[in-house]
Amino acid sequence: MDLITPEFGLVFWTLITFLVLLFILRKFAWNPILGAVSEREEGIKDALASAEKARQEMENLQADNERILQEARAEREAMLKDAREMKAKMIADAKDEAQSQASKMIQQAQAAIESEKKAAMAELKSHVAGLSIEIAEKVVRDELSNKDKQLKLVENMLGETTLNQ
């Protein structure tokens, strides 16, 4: 027996055993193994498709998030602009109100000064009139205290009235 060339019987039985084993494997194991491999391949394809779909959805979500973020920033800027404008308007309104209040107070003060001035003038006129009456009264009393002066005064007055007529 030579190890390099096996006998014909050994080769024959090995070949028969191999073919039987191949037939049994094909009949019972080959289809389930191929089915399992096909299922595994389909599972991998589905997983890849799901991953691609998830990646697309993630990109869409990121784009939506970016868009929403931009809108929020724009809205924030608009709100800040409105707030600044409102602040400026409130300040301008307050200045206008203060200016009108100040001018109104100035007008009231001028009116009060004018009325006080008129009252002082009226009081001064009244006081001057009172003083004039007192002086005239004293002068007339002095003039009328003497009988000769009285007669002379009456004659002068009568003479003036006759001339005027």
Side-chain angles (χ1 to χ4, degrees), residues 41-107:
E41 186 179 345
E42 288 298 317
I44 291 171
K45 284 181 184 178
D46 289 344
L48 288 173
S50 294
E52 181 64 24
K53 184 178 177 184
R55 186 185 64 77
Q56 286 291 334
E57 287 178 5
M58 185 64 103
E59 286 177 1
N60 290 341
L61 285 175
Q62 284 178 342
D64 286 346
N65 286 344
E66 188 64 30
R67 180 186 51 80
I68 290 170
L69 186 61
Q70 290 295 332
E71 288 175 0
R73 284 181 183 151
E75 186 175 336
R76 181 191 70 188
E77 288 300 319
M79 290 173 75
L80 286 174
K81 181 181 175 189
D82 289 345
R84 282 186 212 109
E85 289 173 357
M86 190 179 299
K87 174 185 150 190
K89 184 180 182 297
M90 289 174 72
I91 289 172
D93 289 347
K95 283 182 182 178
D96 291 345
E97 181 67 25
Q99 187 69 29
S100 68
Q101 288 290 337
S103 65
K104 192 183 292 184
M105 288 175 70
I106 289 171
Q107 288 174 351

Side-chain angles (χ1 to χ4, degrees), residues 141-156:
R141 219 183 269 143
D142 187 42
E143 290 290 323
L144 295 178
S145 64
N146 188 342
K147 271 260 193 206
D148 290 334
K149 283 185 181 180
Q150 284 180 2
L151 286 174
K152 191 176 177 182
L153 182 64
V154 169
E155 285 175 7
N156 282 339

